[in-house]
C-alpha cells in the first residue's frame, strides 16, 4: 500500500501532525476559497490550499477532510497545528506552488473530483 | 430522546475563534451517534452562518435543539439586517470585507450553501435590528 510517506519526497513536504502511514487517498481538491470547499457534495479526503490560517483547518473539520496540505511554503502556525491535532487531521506543507503540488499529486494517482 | 439544547454566544469580529461553536456542535452530534452525512450537512450550514455572524452581523447567539426526528439550529444576530433576502440568496452576491476574504470566505456563497445543505431554511430579517436563520435537518427526510 502506498502511503503519505511516499508523497513527502516528491512534494518536499513537512509533516506537522498525524502519521505518514495513512493510505494515499483516491481524490483531492485544491482551493484557497473555503466557501468552495464547503459546497462540495462528495467526500474529499485531501485538501490542497494556500490559505494558511485556522479557517482552512476548521473547514476540513466541518467537511470531514482527513488530510490538509498547505502549499506555497506558507507558514503553518501553532494554532493550525493544535487544531489539526485536536481533530485528527494530517497536516502537511510543501514549498511548491498550488499548481505544482496538484501536478505532483496527479502524477501520483490522485484523481480530481470533477 | 428528549430534546437536547446547546447554546453559544458569538462575539462580533472574533475571527480567531470563528468555528468554535460549530466545532462543539459537531462533537456533540457525533457523541449522540447521529449519521455522519446528516452531521456534515448541518455543521457546514452552521459554520457558514457562524462566519457570517462574526463577519457581518455584530455577533449574536446560536441555539441548537436535537430531538428524535430532527436537528434545528437557530442563529440570531444583532447585525444590520438583510435589506433584500432574494438578492442575498443569489450565488456570488457579497458585501464581505477584505478581512473576511483573507479567511477564505466572502465569495457570496454562504446563504445559498446553507439552503442547499438544509431540509428547511427560514430567514427573518429586519433592517437595523438583526437577522435570524432557522436551519432544520431531519434524520429521515
Amino acid at each position: 500500500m502506498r502511503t503519505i510517506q511516499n508523497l513527502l519526497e516528491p512534494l518536499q513536504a513537512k509533516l506537522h501532525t498525524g502519521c505518514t502511514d495513512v493510505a494515499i487517498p483516491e481524490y483531492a481538491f485544491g482551493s484557497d476559497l473555503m466557501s468552495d470547499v464547503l459546497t462540495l457534495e462528495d467526500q474529499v479526503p485531501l485538501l490542497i490550499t494556500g490559505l494558511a490560517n485556522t479557517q482552512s483547518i476548521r473547514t476540513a473539520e466541518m467537511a470531514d477532510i482527513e488530510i490538509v496540505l498547505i502549499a506555497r511554503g506558507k507558514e503553518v502556525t501553532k494554532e493550525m497545528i493544535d487544531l489539526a491535532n485536536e481533530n485528527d487531521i494530517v497536516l502537511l506543507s510543501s514549498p511548491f506552488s498550488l499548481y505544482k503540488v496538484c501536478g505532483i499529486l496527479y502524477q501520483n494517482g490522485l484523481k480530481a473530483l470533477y | 430522546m428528549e430534546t437536547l439544547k446547546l447554546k453559544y454566544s458569538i462575539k462580533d469580529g472574533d475571527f480567531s475563534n470563528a468555528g468554535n461553536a460549530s466545532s462543539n456542535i459537531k462533537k456533540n452530534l457525533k457523541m449522540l451517534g447521529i449519521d455522519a452525512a446528516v452531521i456534515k450537512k448541518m455543521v457546514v450550514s452552521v459554520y457558514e452562518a457562524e462566519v457570517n455572524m462574526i463577519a457581518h452581523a455584530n455577533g449574536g447567539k446560536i441555539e441548537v435543539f436535537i430531538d428524535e426526528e430532527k436537528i434545528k439550529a437557530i442563529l440570531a444576530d444583532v447585525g444590520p439586517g438583510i435589506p433584500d433576502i432574494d438578492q442575498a440568496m443569489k450565488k456570488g452576491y457579497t458585501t464581505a470585507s477584505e478581512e473576511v476574504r483573507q479567511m477564505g470566505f466572502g465569495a457570496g456563497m454562504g446563504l445559498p450553501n446553507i439552503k442547499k445543505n438544509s431540509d428547511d431554511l427560514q430567514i427573518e430579517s429586519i433592517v437595523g435590528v438583526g437577522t435570524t436563520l432557522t436551519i432544520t435537518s431531519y434524520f429521515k427526510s
Side-chain angles (χ1 to χ4, degrees):
Chain A
M1 180 181 75
R2 295 184 74 243
T3 66
I4 294 295
Q5 182 66 37
N6 299 101
L7 297 175
L8 294 182
E9 194 187 328
L11 290 168
Q12 291 183 18
K14 186 177 173 189
L15 179 78
H16 299 276
T17 66
C19 60
T20 55
D21 59 6
V22 181
I24 297 175
E26 200 177 351
Y27 293 96
F29 186 79
S31 181
D32 283 359
L33 187 62
M34 296 303 105
S35 305
D36 264 348
V37 180
L38 290 167
T39 58
L40 296 170
E41 289 176 19
D42 299 301
Q43 193 62 32
V44 194
L46 194 158
L47 170 67
I48 308 136
T49 184
L51 186 79
N53 63 34
T54 51
Q55 297 314 316
S56 54
I57 314 297
R58 276 286 181 228
T59 297
E61 180 194 356
M62 299 307 153
D64 296 332
I65 292 166
E66 294 149 20
I67 306 163
V68 176
L69 173 47
I70 305 291
R72 301 203 289 269
K74 298 271 180 150
E75 186 196 353
V76 173
T77 65
K78 184 180 179 300
E79 288 78 18
M80 291 166 69
I81 290 170
D82 289 347
L83 208 51
N85 266 325
E86 185 189 319
N87 292 289
D88 297 324
I89 291 167
V90 177
L91 179 59
L92 300 155
S93 62
S94 166
F96 299 141
S97 67
L98 196 82
Y99 181 68
K100 185 166 175 174
V101 167
C102 292
I104 291 167
L105 292 179
Y106 203 86
Q107 277 182 329
N108 277 275
L110 280 95
K111 291 185 251 179
L113 279 176
Y114 60 90
Chain B
M1 193 199 311
E2 286 181 31
T3 301
L4 178 72
K5 184 178 171 184
L6 308 168
K7 196 172 177 180
Y8 307 88
S9 282
I10 308 300
K11 281 189 208 157
D12 180 33
D14 189 6
F15 291 106
S16 61
N17 285 314
N20 280 7
S22 304
S23 174
N24 190 273
I25 291 165
K26 181 170 186 179
K27 287 178 174 73
N28 273 283
L29 296 178
K30 276 172 95 171
M31 273 198 309
L32 290 169
I34 292 165
D35 179 66
V38 174
I39 293 178
K40 182 180 167 186
K41 283 184 164 192
M42 178 48 85
V43 297
V44 162
S45 294
V46 173
Y47 180 47
E48 292 262 24
E50 186 183 351
V51 170
N52 277 349
M53 209 176 238
I54 290 165
H56 305 286
N58 307 332
K61 62 178 182 177
I62 301 176
E63 288 176 295
V64 181
F65 303 88
I66 304 135
D67 62 27
E68 63 271 357
E69 62 174 13
K70 65 184 180 298
I71 311 166
K72 183 161 80 174
I74 301 173
L75 299 101
D77 69 50
V78 288
I82 304 169
D84 185 339
I85 291 174
D86 288 340
Q87 192 179 30
M89 289 303 295
K90 283 184 186 152
K91 282 183 186 172
Y93 178 78
T94 183
T95 57
S97 65
E98 184 54 33
E99 201 172 10
V100 180
R101 290 170 196 269
Q102 282 172 7
M103 287 167 60
F105 292 90
M109 291 156 75
L111 280 175
N113 199 29
I114 293 170
K115 186 168 177 59
K116 194 183 85 175
N117 279 292
S118 60
D119 292 327
D120 185 61
L121 170 65
Q122 301 291 328
I123 306 174
E124 290 168 45
S125 191
I126 301 170
V127 172
V129 177
T131 300
T132 299
L133 301 189
T134 305
I135 302 165
T136 310
S137 281
Y138 294 95
F139 298 131
K140 289 174 188 169
S141 54

